[in-house]
Amino acid sequence: MTILVFGRTGQVATELARLPDVLCLGRKVADLTDPAACADIVKSHRPRAVINAAAYTNVDRAEQEERIAHLVNAESPKAIAQACADIEVPFVHISTDYVFDGTGQTPWTPDARTCPQNVYGRTKQSGEVAIRDVGGRFAILRTSWVFSPHRENFVKSMLGLGATREVLRVVADQIGGPTPARDIALACHTIANELIDVPHKTGVYHLAGTPDCSRAEFARKIFAAAQVSCDVEDILTSEFPTPAKRPVNSRLNCESLECEFGIPRPDWRSYLQDQFADG
C-alpha cells in the first residue's frame, strides 16, 4: 500500500515524489475543482495514508477567483478528508500562516484564533474547519514562506530580479520563517506514517524554518548564497501595495510538532547554502 499524494508538480509534491512508497497525482488525474472525483480517487486507491500537497496558491489572483479557490482549498479537502475517514486512513493536509491576521510579534500557536485577511487565507481556513468537522485521523500542517528549486517562489524571484538590478526594494516589516519544501515533504511523510499507528496525535501543527527573519533579510541571504551583487533597500509593506493583503507577523510556534513527532525547525540558511550557492 502506498501513500497517495494530491499534487505532482508543486514545490512540496515534487519533493514527496522522491520518497519511497508515494504515488503523486497531478491535475489531469486528480482535479481539485471536482471534490466528488477526488473522494472517489481515495476510495478506489485505498492507500495507507493521504497527503494533500495541492492548493490554489496564487494569493493575488484569488481575490478575483474566490469560487475556484474555495473549491480547491476548502471543498475538495473536505471531500478527501471524508473519504479518508470512511476508509479509516490518515489524512495530512498542508495549510498556511495566512489563516492568521498577521498582527503582533508573538509566534502563532496551533490553537491561536484564526482571522484571515484575504481570500486565499479565508479559503484555507474554511478547508481547515471542514477537515476538523469531518474528524477521523488527520493532521493539518501550517507552514510559511515555502521555497525550493521548483516552481515560482520568493527565492527564485529574488535571484531573477537580482541578476538584472543593482538595488532591489524589499519589504522589511513582514517577519516569518522561510521553509524548504523538502522539509515540509519529509514532515508530511513522517506524520502520515505515524498517524497510522498513533491516531491520538491527530491535530493541527506548525512547521516553519528557523531563524525568523524579514523578507528583506531573507533577500540579502539569498544574494549572499548565490553570490549575486545586488543591494537590498528596506521598505514598508505599505510602500508595496498588492491586491491581497499580506500578514506582517508570520512567525509560527512549532514546539508541538517537535514534541509529538520529533520534527525540529529546519535551518533555512544551510539549505540556501547547499541549494543556491551557484545561483
Side-chain angles (χ1 to χ4, degrees), residues 101-230:
D101 65 16
T103 59
Q105 297 182 347
T106 303
W108 300 101
T109 59
D111 61 352
R113 176 177 174 268
T114 56
C115 186
Q117 299 297 295
N118 55 46
V119 168
Y120 169 69
R122 289 197 295 272
T123 60
K124 293 297 286 185
Q125 179 197 45
S126 295
E128 289 188 9
V129 171
I131 291 166
R132 289 198 297 268
D133 287 346
V134 167
R137 280 179 284 178
F138 71 86
I140 294 168
L141 184 66
R142 297 184 185 129
T143 189
S144 65
W145 296 17
V146 182
F147 71 96
S148 71
H150 325 294
R151 300 296 293 264
E152 292 303 313
N153 56 68
F154 185 79
V155 171
K156 295 185 76 174
S157 294
M158 291 299 101
L159 290 173
L161 292 169
T164 60
R165 301 185 188 183
E166 293 183 357
V167 179
L168 201 60
R169 302 172 78 233
V170 184
V171 293
D173 57 345
Q174 295 179 19
I175 311 296
T179 315
R182 177 195 62 187
D183 292 276
I184 301 171
L186 290 170
C188 288
H189 193 265
T190 296
I191 294 167
N193 279 309
E194 197 152 337
L195 282 176
I196 294 171
D197 298 317
V198 194
H200 73 265
K201 292 186 178 183
T202 284
V204 181
Y205 298 93
H206 289 170
L207 176 64
T210 188
D212 292 329
C213 66
S214 71
R215 292 278 189 186
E217 291 168 337
F218 190 25
R220 291 188 181 94
K221 291 292 186 181
I222 293 166
F223 293 146
Q227 300 181 10
V228 172
S229 297
C230 181

Side-chain angles (χ1 to χ4, degrees), residues 4-263:
L4 186 67
V5 174
F6 284 85
R8 188 170 63 86
T9 60
Q11 294 190 81
V12 177
T14 298
E15 298 292 342
L16 279 164
R18 299 175 176 177
L19 301 178
D21 302 323
V22 168
L23 174 63
C24 293
L25 303 180
R27 189 177 304 170
K28 291 183 179 180
V29 177
D31 184 356
L32 268 74
T33 63
D34 188 342
C38 291
D40 289 342
I41 287 170
V42 172
K43 292 183 178 180
S44 64
H45 279 80
R46 303 195 72 85
R48 73 171 188 268
V50 175
I51 298 171
N52 182 25
Y56 185 108
T57 58
N58 191 317
V59 177
D60 288 327
R61 194 164 63 199
E63 296 296 309
Q64 284 76 47
E65 297 185 351
E66 185 167 1
R67 184 186 66 82
I68 297 174
H70 192 267
L71 267 175
V72 174
N73 292 342
E75 294 186 33
S76 280
K78 177 182 179 180
I80 295 168
Q82 185 63 64
C84 288
D86 290 344
I87 64 172
E88 299 183 333
V89 300
F91 178 43
V92 179
H93 175 73
I94 300 171
S95 193
T96 173
D97 61 290
Y98 277 54
V99 299
F100 299 113
D101 65 16
T103 59
Q105 297 182 347
T106 303
W108 300 101
T109 59
D111 61 352
R113 176 177 174 268
T114 56
C115 186
Q117 299 297 295
N118 55 46
V119 168
Y120 169 69
R122 289 197 295 272
T123 60
K124 293 297 286 185
Q125 179 197 45
S126 295
E128 289 188 9
V129 171
I131 291 166
R132 289 198 297 268
D133 287 346
V134 167
R137 280 179 284 178
F138 71 86
I140 294 168
L141 184 66
R142 297 184 185 129
T143 189
S144 65
W145 296 17
V146 182
F147 71 96
S148 71
H150 325 294
R151 300 296 293 264
E152 292 303 313
N153 56 68
F154 185 79
V155 171
K156 295 185 76 174
S157 294
M158 291 299 101
L159 290 173
L161 292 169
T164 60
R165 301 185 188 183
E166 293 183 357
V167 179
L168 201 60
R169 302 172 78 233
V170 184
V171 293
D173 57 345
Q174 295 179 19
I175 311 296
T179 315
R182 177 195 62 187
D183 292 276
I184 301 171
L186 290 170
C188 288
H189 193 265
T190 296
I191 294 167
N193 279 309
E194 197 152 337
L195 282 176
I196 294 171
D197 298 317
V198 194
H200 73 265
K201 292 186 178 183
T202 284
V204 181
Y205 298 93
H206 289 170
L207 176 64
T210 188
D212 292 329
C213 66
S214 71
R215 292 278 189 186
E217 291 168 337
F218 190 25
R220 291 188 181 94
K221 291 292 186 181
I222 293 166
F223 293 146
Q227 300 181 10
V228 172
S229 297
C230 181
D231 291 331
V232 175
E233 177 186 339
D234 291 4
I235 63 171
L236 299 175
T237 298
S238 58
E239 298 176 73
F240 189 73
T242 54
K245 183 178 180 181
R246 262 61 172 179
V248 173
N249 177 22
S250 289
R251 301 171 181 89
L252 296 178
N253 183 317
C254 307
E255 293 175 1
S256 62
L257 184 69
E258 183 165 13
C259 180
E260 293 294 337
F261 294 97
I263 301 172

